Amino acid sequence: MAADAPALTFIALFLPFLGAVLAPFLTRRLKHNAAWLLALAPFAAFLHFCGFLPEIAAGEAATGGYAWAPSFNLSFSWFLDGLSLTFALLITGIGTLIVVYSGGYMKGHPDQGRFLAFILLFMGAMLGLVVSDSFLMLFVYWELTSLTSFLLIGFDHEREAARRAALQALVVTGAGGLSLLAGLVFLWNITGVTQLSLLVHLDGGLRESPFYLAALLLVLGGTFTKSAQFPFHFWLPNAMEAPTPVSAYLHSATMVKAGVYLLMRLNPVMGATPAWEILLPFFGGITLISGTLLAVRQTDLKLMLAYTTMASLGLLVMLTGFGSAHAVEAAVLYLVAHSLFKGALFMVAGTVDHEAGTRDVTRLGGLRAAMPVTFGAALLAALSMGGLPLFFGFLAKEEIYAALWAANPRAVFFTILALIGNALMFAVAFAVALKPFLGAPVETPKHAHEGPPSLWLGPAVLAALGLLGALFSGIAHRYVSSPMASAVMDDAVTIDITTVPHLGMPLLLSAITVLLGALVYWRLGDARALMARMLENLGPGPDRGFDHFVSDLVRFSVAVTRFIQPGRLELYITVTFVLLALTLLVPPVVFGELPGMPAWPDGILVQEAAFFLIALIGIVAVLRARDRLTAIVSLGIQGFAVAVLFLLFGAPDLSFTQFMVETLSVVILALVMTRLRLSPADHRPAGQLFVDATIAAACGIGFTLLLLKSVEAPFDTLLTDFFNAYSKVVAHGANVVNVVIVDFRGTDTLGEIAVVMITGLAVLALIRVRAGRKGDVK
């Protein structure tokens, strides 16, 4: 690459964000045609990343970025190898088609500009995620994908279902993001590195760490929620409340594959362990079977595809954790194939809904003549999804069976899971691609006709790529599949499968898959009814469980709030001072850090003793005061005596501050007490007085012990020397204390002033509220 490649890569990474900024303005002027212009942003990024293909195919990697916080080993950096480059090409390439498709699909929508801005933000977040090198950058983009998907899923925010789906996706993936953050912190502490490019090449240490399992479980918490693995799968079908362009993009190349991406990225350093090879295939297999069974149950085209996406993600997770190089090769091939055929089929479903007015497969039929281009794209995509020869999906399916099959119980079990899953996905694929188009024409809510080029261009291109990728598999493997598999394995891998099938067991398994899938397709109505009865017998699923969890969480929060915040100020103050006393007294006693008994000071002057005695008299006066106003004035006596002691010990500036504070405190408290007209005397019972006195004494003793322990240590003059040396030179002030307050810690002083001001305003507001209520009563 050229010397300016790092700068151009940063520009490419931010092009989607730039498009998001421009989208509302361009849409206001160009309407739906703005999508063609906005698509240039991801297309330019796609072309830029294509320039890395020869370099990455040669086994090299590209990195760049800058140090953000070097002292913490944090950087804003990117890392391109076969894995991240493939994802970057899928995100920008399919993203270009999605933006164009959005222009036709959202034509006439009053918020089309907002929608295009959101989808470009989502694209930028996902692109940043897959090319991130630093842990920090990865986590920021990871959470940004959750936030932008929330905006997209809840785009039709006036519908309750859309709001619920958006909130559900945000809660599930956001919680997973926190789990991932903890996992990344574990990885940082175990390995000492914060860059993925360094982590994946570590020779060892991570797997042998006693914290490996904790780190793995936390990382899986993030990846399983993001990639909708059982039991966190329920948010994904509900995300179909989003407009179809979102569904097509979400399920083909973006957020749902983020978890799979991270698992593949961490495979070189966290894979090949019993935990990895048990947890990933187990949960992946459950997700695969449950997703395909639920897909058979649906009649909505988008939901049928959504559940097969869930199943496909389970298959990818199962293959990634299976523990062999062939399984990784199969996962790589299937990920690329899935991105192509699923993006095409989702756009086909959206086009049918847009032009016919419904996406209920039982209310559709005979659209082939009215929508020939859309039908052709759907058929090609279904052939790839069904794993039939001459399509890229066929290469993936053959490699799956070649990787899984072996003469041992574990391999046989997962091979059967893959066979059942692939057969059911075969049936669903052709149900989506054939049933709306074949048969006698059915009356639909809208007069069906072929959509504009913006609607059929995307599915046609993706479906064609599924065919061309298999026909020219040598080129596809050289520049995409092999570099990607090599990155996942951290070792050179060469994929050479072609459209010629594997002879032996893989070919037999493929034939069984097709026959079983065709049988399910033929009896799809019966299979749908059977699944409906089965789900009814099983009862509510995780989706309903989420609603119960949220409602219980709200009730628990209300109960806790009522318990810890009952609305009684005296309780808040009591709890605060009890905790303060415990904090001051318990640690010195438990850890044996009590100070020694100080020696009685020699040479106490008469005036010092006199003002010390006055302070004690002030305390006694406070305790014996018969009304609140007398107590406030007596408290001032104690404060003024302490101020004089400061003066006698050579701290006139501190003494002056104490005088000012005491004066203002007495005046303000007296004003508040007289205006609020509280009870003039303290009517607390003797028991309450004893408790309050005990808490106050404990706090006083705690602070005394803290001060005594502090003065036992040798006085450190480091700060004193610093301020004496630099107060005049740097701050141009002779009074060191003043310089410290207004210069060296001026921001802190400003904050204190703000607190005092806000407190004064609050007091004033309380007085006015009190006065207003009395006026209303009169």
Side-chain angles (χ1 to χ4, degrees):
M1 294 294 293
D4 57 351
L8 292 177
T9 301
F10 269 112
I11 294 174
L13 292 176
F14 285 102
L15 278 176
F17 295 109
L18 177 61
V21 173
L22 297 177
F25 304 101
L26 292 177
T27 306
R28 193 175 299 122
R29 290 183 173 274
L30 302 177
K31 306 300 180 184
H32 65 281
N33 293 316
W36 293 94
L37 188 60
L38 291 170
L40 294 177
F43 185 65
F46 174 78
L47 293 179
H48 172 75
F49 287 113
C50 284
F52 286 96
L53 285 172
E55 179 181 352
I56 302 302
E60 300 179 16
T63 58
Y66 64 89
W68 180 59
S71 58
F72 292 99
N73 198 24
L74 299 176
S75 62
F76 186 88
S77 52
W78 49 269
F79 169 48
L80 283 175
D81 61 356
L83 177 62
S84 54
L85 179 61
T86 300
F87 268 92
L89 292 174
L90 291 173
I91 291 166
T92 53
I94 297 178
T96 300
L97 300 173
I98 291 294
V99 172
V100 173
Y101 181 82
S102 300
Y105 189 86
M106 302 295 290
K107 180 180 179 181
H109 196 289
D111 293 321
Q112 186 180 30
R114 178 166 63 93
F115 178 82
L116 289 171
F118 287 168
I119 206 160
L120 285 165
L121 282 174
F122 182 63
M123 185 187 306
M126 192 63 201
L127 182 60
L129 188 156
V130 299
V131 303
S132 295
D133 188 19
S134 70
F135 289 179
L136 173 68
M137 187 173 165
L138 171 68
F139 176 72
V140 169
Y141 280 119
W142 185 279
E143 291 299 271
L144 189 57
T145 59
S146 296
L147 293 174
T148 50
S149 67
F150 169 79
L151 297 175
L152 287 168
I153 296 171
F155 178 74
D156 294 327
H157 54 84
E158 295 182 356
R159 293 190 299 110
E160 182 181 357
R163 296 195 301 270
R164 177 185 178 273
L167 181 62
Q168 187 181 70
L170 182 64
V171 169
V172 174
T173 59
L178 295 178
S179 176
L180 175 64
L181 176 62
L184 293 176
V185 172
F186 264 88
L187 294 179
W188 181 8
N189 281 271
I190 295 171
T191 63
V193 300
T194 59
Q195 284 81 34
L196 291 171
S197 57
L198 300 177
L199 179 67
V200 297
H201 296 307
L202 288 178
D203 293 333
L206 178 56
R207 296 183 182 90
E208 293 76 20
S209 170
F211 301 107
Y212 166 80
L213 183 59
L216 174 62
L217 293 177
L218 290 169
V219 169
L220 292 183
T223 56
F224 279 12
T225 52
K226 190 72 98 175
S227 287
Q229 296 300 290
F230 181 88
F232 308 110
H233 62 279
F234 51 87
W235 72 266
L236 184 58
N238 291 333
M240 294 304 98
E241 295 295 336
T244 299
V246 179
S247 305
Y249 198 40
L250 188 79
H251 287 250
S252 61
T254 52
M255 192 173 86
V256 295
K257 287 194 174 74
V260 174
Y261 162 79
L262 190 58
L263 290 175
M264 289 182 169
R265 172 61 72 205
L266 296 176
N267 180 67
V269 290
M270 300 193 78
T273 65
W276 180 275
E277 295 179 2
I278 291 174
L279 292 174
L280 268 67
F282 176 76
F283 284 99
I286 293 178
T287 307
L288 168 63
I289 296 301
S290 58
T292 50
L293 291 175
L294 290 170
V296 171
R297 165 68 181 84
Q298 308 305 315
T299 59
D300 185 304
L301 292 176
K302 283 178 62 174
L303 284 177
M304 294 169 71
L305 294 172
Y307 279 111
T308 57
T309 295
M310 167 187 157
S312 297
L313 293 170
L315 179 58
L316 287 170
V317 170
M318 185 178 80
L319 292 170
T320 303
F322 192 72
S324 70
H326 283 301
V328 168
E329 295 174 17
V332 165
L333 291 172
Y334 188 74
L335 187 145
V336 175
H338 178 266
S339 298
L340 299 177
F341 65 66
K342 191 56 64 72
L345 287 174
F346 260 111
M347 284 189 272
V348 165
T351 303
V352 170
D353 185 22
H354 190 272
E355 302 302 329
T358 181
R359 54 177 190 261
D360 187 341
V361 71
T362 61
R363 300 175 57 194
L364 291 168
L367 296 178
R368 179 181 58 179
M371 307 175 68
V373 179
T374 303
F375 170 63
L379 182 59
L380 292 178
L383 290 170
S384 183
M385 183 173 174
L388 294 179
L390 301 183
F391 288 88
F392 209 80
F394 171 76
L395 307 186
K397 186 185 65 175
E398 288 290 295
E399 197 69 14
I400 289 171
Y401 291 141
L404 295 179
W405 174 254
N408 63 76
R410 178 175 182 264
V412 171
F413 174 74
F414 286 111
T415 301
I416 293 174
L417 288 184
L419 189 149
I420 295 173
N422 283 330
L424 294 177
M425 282 194 280
F426 178 99
V428 174
F430 283 97
V432 172
L434 298 183
K435 288 189 177 296
F437 298 97
L438 300 183
V442 176
E443 185 177 355
T444 56
K446 295 170 63 176
H447 176 67
H449 57 86
E450 189 65 82
S454 57
L455 289 182
W456 54 256
L457 178 64
V461 170
L462 294 180
L465 286 175
L467 174 61
L468 296 175
L471 294 178
F472 300 95
S473 57
I475 298 175
H477 295 332
R478 177 183 177 186
Y479 289 104
V480 178
S481 308
S482 294
M484 185 177 178
S486 300
V488 176
M489 292 299 299
D490 193 29
D491 194 12
V493 174
T494 301
I495 299 178
D496 53 11
I497 185 172
T498 66
T499 53
V500 178
H502 288 291
L503 297 178
M505 184 58 69
L507 182 59
L508 176 61
L509 293 173
S510 293
I512 295 174
T513 300
V514 173
L515 291 175
L516 182 59
L519 177 63
V520 175
Y521 174 80
W522 179 48
R523 307 291 296 181
L524 187 59
D526 295 335
R528 185 179 296 126
L530 176 63
M531 277 305 305
R533 290 193 299 270
M534 183 185 302
L535 292 174
E536 184 177 354
N537 293 331
L538 289 175
D543 184 44
R544 184 67 60 85
F546 174 83
D547 292 335
H548 291 313
F549 169 77
V550 171
S551 61
D552 291 343
L553 181 62
V554 170
R555 285 196 293 268
F556 175 74
S557 301
V558 171
V560 170
T561 302
R562 288 176 177 172
F563 176 75
I564 66 175
Q565 292 186 343
R568 295 176 54 198
L569 180 60
E570 64 172 307
L571 179 61
Y572 301 159
I573 295 175
T574 301
V575 171
T576 299
F577 280 103
V578 167
L579 292 177
L580 176 62
L582 292 175
T583 303
L584 292 171
L585 293 175
V586 172
V589 174
V590 172
F591 296 103
E593 293 293 334
L594 290 171
M597 181 63 66
W600 188 260
D602 297 328
I604 299 179
L605 300 178
V606 176
Q607 59 271 28
E608 295 172 353
F611 281 101
F612 185 78
L613 181 61
I614 292 173
L616 292 178
I617 293 172
I619 294 175
V620 174
V622 171
L623 297 176
R624 298 197 44 94
R626 293 183 177 274
D627 56 75
R628 300 179 192 274
L629 190 58
T630 304
I632 292 171
V633 175
S634 301
L635 188 63
I637 295 173
Q638 184 265 347
F640 287 131
V642 173
V644 175
L645 289 175
F646 288 154
L647 181 64
L648 294 175
F649 278 88
D653 46 0
L654 183 58
S655 176
F656 175 75
T657 302
Q658 179 72 12
F659 274 118
M660 293 297 296
V661 170
E662 288 298 327
T663 302
L664 289 174
S665 298
V666 171
V667 172
I668 293 175
L669 287 174
L671 174 64
V672 172
M673 290 299 176
T674 55
R675 293 298 297 272
L676 291 181
R677 299 186 184 278
L678 299 174
S679 176
D682 188 352
H683 295 294
R684 284 178 293 177
Q688 184 65 41
L689 283 172
F690 176 77
V691 172
D692 293 345
T694 302
I695 295 173
C699 290
I701 294 171
F703 276 113
T704 301
L705 294 176
L706 177 64
L707 291 173
L708 290 175
K709 188 65 178 178
S710 300
V711 298
E712 281 184 353
F715 181 67
D716 188 354
T717 63
L718 183 62
L719 285 177
T720 303
D721 297 337
F722 172 83
F723 289 128
N724 288 336
Y726 292 104
S727 291
K728 184 72 173 178
V729 178
V730 176
H732 307 288
N735 188 319
V736 177
V737 175
N738 289 349
V739 169
V740 170
I741 293 174
V742 301
D743 284 282
F744 287 111
R745 50 188 295 256
T747 304
D748 182 49
T749 304
L750 178 63
E752 293 172 356
I753 295 172
V755 169
V756 173
M757 181 184 69
I758 293 171
T759 304
L761 292 174
V763 171
L764 180 61
L766 288 174
I767 294 174
R768 287 185 173 180
V769 168
R770 179 81 175 191
R773 288 179 177 175
K774 289 177 64 179
D776 293 339
V777 172
K778 292 179 180 179

